[in-house]
Amino acid sequence: MGEGIIEKDKKLKEGWEGISRFFRANSLWMLMYCTGCCAIELPQAMTSRYDMERLGMGPMATPRQADVLLVTGYLSVKTLRRVIYAYEQMSTPKYLVAFGPCPINGGIYYDAYAVINRLDQYLPVDVYIAGCMPKPEAVMNGFQDLIDGIKNKTADGWKRYRDNYEWYRKNQIESLGELRIKDEFHE
Amino acid sequence: MNLNEILTGTLTGLIILVFAFVWQTTLSGVTRKIVGRFQKRYGPKFYQEFRDIFKLLTKTGVTHGWVYSFGVMMALGGIMGTAMFMPVMRFTAFPGLDNVFIYVYLFAVGMLGMAMSAVGSGNPLAGIGVMRALTQMVGYEVPFLVVVLAMVYGHGTASVSELAAVQQAAGIASWNLVRMPIGTVVGFICLLGMLGKKPFETFIAPAEIASGPMVEYGGKQLGMLMLLHEFSIFIEVSLFVNLFLGGAVTVVGFIIKYVGVFVLASLVSQALGRFKIDQVIRYFYRWPIALAVAQALIVVFLGWGV
């Protein structure tokens, strides 16, 4: 009797998750972190030539409203802190898409003193888009990969971030150093 | 009002709410598609707005304190309550209670709930957005009410369903669009202000103040705000159709008039840029108010259009 109810509950939960995934996959709102050069390819992907809105995607103004964080290119140590703030403000489930080679291994900035090399050590990345810079076709293809990943449960970066938070946190502090804030809210 | 009437009224009101949600959400998606075609794009699926709303409702929502959470509920409740009073075709949930002023007062409950909730999130941009929204409300309400009061004076009734019935007497010739053309122009400009469409988009302004009151909303609360948005569009456009285009007797008539007004407003918004907030107020207190007063003087002293 009891097991039957648990089984039913599990099935119901899975069904609900499936419905949620359908809606999440087809309505992705982006927050664009456009400090890198790959950002120049986004206008073509958004406007009438490639028309991203077909996939149900659109730009949003703040991290709280968005589902996808686009990191377009290299990240300096200073901007990494802001990206982490933005990612942590987004409400789950959330996804992160990294453009170009710079978030993978540093790209052409691999030996720069102020640029981080691997974004994956600090934040979980769901989709990498290849190309320096990626063409709009590649961008659209990457978004299609993200949609497929959401549908078949492989885009689970937000779960990885939650489960391995200690590890990510350690890397973040190693790279950025502890932040000491002195104002009326923190004393 | 006995118990029976209250029950029937509530049931009719709920049916109107469901109709309003399904109809307006579909139409918003269709309008996005039309706007896409105007920009030589394919645009999203016509049911994209449903997917957006349901996706937001399945996400987690953070709270910024009880004022924030309670304000969202109050806003949604206030707007849904207002929508229940709206006469749709020949259905009125509470006959005799669909006075013009009901909408002015009940709509303010929703607006104040939203203002309270947005300011409760503590973000300065939300405060700026709320200040702009309420300032703009002062701008469009005055000319709109001058026209509506002239209409109420001319027809001798303030009930929206009766005002619609008066206009159905002799076909198009008895619509207020023909009887009070200047007033209709003012009404349409004020409708653009109410909808927050582009020349009067000052309080949303995504590139300037990061979508104003909505800046700290995410997940479930944003989904509720999108529901609220659909209901408030339904109220505003239905009110315009009932007051100026003679309401509607059949479903087909209602759909044609409603689609015409909403799509026209959306296309006007695509062709224009955004005013600053001081320009909005200066604009509303210059042209629409002058035209509204002229229309009121014509109705009251010359007796034309009554």
Side-chain angles (χ1 to χ4, degrees):
Chain A
M1 177 78 192
E3 277 182 18
I5 291 177
I6 291 171
E7 197 68 18
K8 219 178 222 176
D9 196 46
K10 213 174 172 187
K11 244 179 206 172
L12 205 69
K13 225 172 220 173
E14 268 170 26
W16 173 244
E17 277 293 312
I19 296 171
S20 312
R21 276 203 304 279
F22 168 75
F23 289 125
R24 284 168 197 162
N26 288 304
S27 160
L28 289 169
W29 290 352
M30 310 174 293
L31 177 71
M32 293 174 283
Y33 196 84
C34 291
T35 52
C37 28
C38 298
I40 204 72
E41 302 296 336
L42 278 171
Q44 289 94 313
M46 267 157 58
T47 48
S48 38
R49 180 80 190 268
Y50 291 95
D51 189 19
M52 192 186 285
E53 209 182 3
R54 277 180 303 158
L55 307 179
M57 305 186 73
M60 275 289 140
T62 68
R64 298 246 187 241
Q65 302 164 358
D67 306 307
V68 192
L69 176 61
L70 308 184
V71 176
T72 55
Y74 69 91
L75 281 175
S76 70
V77 178
K78 270 189 178 176
T79 56
L80 176 66
R81 194 191 293 283
R82 268 73 211 177
V83 170
I84 293 170
Y85 287 167
Y87 185 76
E88 292 191 345
Q89 275 186 21
M90 289 160 68
S91 51
T92 55
K94 50 193 171 184
Y95 312 98
L96 200 153
V97 176
F99 283 51
C102 305
I104 300 176
N105 60 5
I108 57 172
Y109 302 102
Y110 72 98
D111 57 350
Y113 68 95
V115 175
I116 59 145
N117 282 358
R118 280 186 59 194
L119 177 60
D120 209 12
Q121 290 190 325
Y122 309 98
L123 289 172
V125 181
D126 291 301
V127 171
Y128 288 105
I129 299 177
C132 181
M133 306 162 250
K135 287 193 150 198
E137 290 98 329
V139 174
M140 296 301 286
N141 195 22
F143 290 149
Q144 194 60 54
D145 284 352
L146 178 63
I147 289 172
D148 294 340
I150 295 170
K151 276 184 185 156
N152 56 30
K153 303 194 220 175
T154 50
D156 57 349
W158 56 283
K159 278 183 189 161
R160 273 186 278 137
Y161 191 65
R162 194 184 56 195
D163 296 342
N164 306 319
Y165 183 67
E166 302 291 314
W167 185 77
Y168 283 113
R169 184 80 187 148
K170 188 170 67 69
N171 288 345
Q172 288 166 5
I173 289 177
E174 252 170 38
S175 180
L176 301 175
E178 285 273 11
L179 188 64
R180 277 188 217 92
I181 304 172
K182 270 186 92 114
D183 60 15
E184 68 266 34
F185 301 114
H186 292 84
E187 279 171 7
Chain B
M1 245 189 177
N2 57 30
L3 189 68
N4 202 8
E5 277 176 335
I6 293 175
L7 283 179
T8 332
T10 316
L11 199 64
T12 321
L14 287 178
I15 293 172
I16 289 176
L17 276 185
V18 172
F19 170 76
F21 170 66
V22 175
W23 165 242
Q24 176 53 45
T25 313
T26 313
L27 186 62
S28 295
V30 171
T31 314
R32 271 171 78 175
K33 196 145 187 92
I34 293 174
V35 168
R37 288 300 164 100
F38 259 68
Q39 297 170 348
K40 293 190 179 175
R41 292 188 287 119
Y42 279 107
K45 299 267 193 318
F46 75 91
Y47 50 89
Q48 182 61 41
E49 292 273 319
F50 287 102
R51 300 203 288 207
D52 289 348
I53 291 177
F54 290 129
K55 173 208 70 178
L56 285 172
L57 292 177
T58 65
K59 288 185 78 171
T60 53
V62 288
T63 181
H64 304 280
W66 72 270
V67 174
Y68 170 86
S69 308
F70 172 72
V72 181
M73 307 259 190
M74 176 176 156
L76 185 59
I79 297 289
M80 281 168 85
T82 320
M84 281 172 89
F85 280 88
M86 182 58 67
V88 180
M89 291 167 269
R90 274 179 181 160
F91 300 107
T92 313
F94 305 104
L97 291 179
D98 56 344
N99 200 291
V100 173
F101 302 103
I102 282 268
Y103 304 108
V104 178
Y105 275 104
L106 271 184
F107 207 72
V109 173
M111 284 294 175
L112 288 180
M114 168 122 187
M116 203 172 87
S117 159
V119 173
S121 72
N123 192 309
L125 293 177
I128 293 174
V130 165
M131 183 274 287
R132 286 186 180 190
L134 296 180
T135 313
Q136 180 160 316
M137 204 166 158
V138 172
Y140 63 70
E141 292 252 294
V142 175
F144 190 72
L145 273 184
V146 168
V147 171
V148 170
L149 287 179
M151 193 187 292
V152 169
Y153 177 86
H155 293 305
T157 173
S159 155
V160 170
S161 56
E162 278 176 38
L163 280 172
V166 167
Q167 298 173 61
Q168 285 156 10
I172 295 183
S174 59
W175 289 5
N176 277 333
L177 173 69
V178 180
R179 288 177 171 184
M180 305 169 61
I182 308 176
T184 310
V185 171
V186 175
F188 188 73
I189 295 173
C190 295
L191 180 72
L192 286 178
M194 287 180 206
L195 294 174
K197 289 284 181 190
K198 196 102 21 78
F200 309 116
E201 200 203 14
T202 41
F203 56 97
I204 303 291
E208 188 190 350
I209 52 170
S211 70
M214 278 129 56
V215 66
E216 284 292 329
Y217 287 88
K220 288 184 175 56
Q221 282 93 349
L222 187 61
M224 280 153 85
L225 278 201
M226 278 194 70
L227 270 178
L228 177 153
H229 185 62
E230 307 294 351
F231 281 123
S232 57
I233 292 179
F234 175 79
I235 294 167
E236 287 147 359
V237 178
S238 304
L239 197 61
F240 185 85
V241 167
N242 276 321
L243 288 180
F244 294 100
L245 301 182
V249 187
T250 59
V251 184
V252 179
F254 179 79
I255 287 177
I256 290 174
K257 287 172 187 173
Y258 193 105
V259 170
V261 172
F262 186 64
V263 172
L264 182 64
S266 304
L267 293 185
V268 166
S269 131
Q270 285 304 309
L272 295 171
R274 186 170 63 233
F275 276 152
K276 291 181 194 167
I277 185 67
D278 51 335
Q279 289 170 328
V280 168
I281 296 300
R282 214 172 291 148
Y283 177 79
F284 270 123
Y285 281 177
R286 189 176 293 159
W287 297 112
I289 215 168
L291 292 174
V293 169
Q295 179 67 68
L297 291 178
I298 289 173
V299 170
V300 173
F301 289 106
L302 299 180
W304 293 353
V306 178

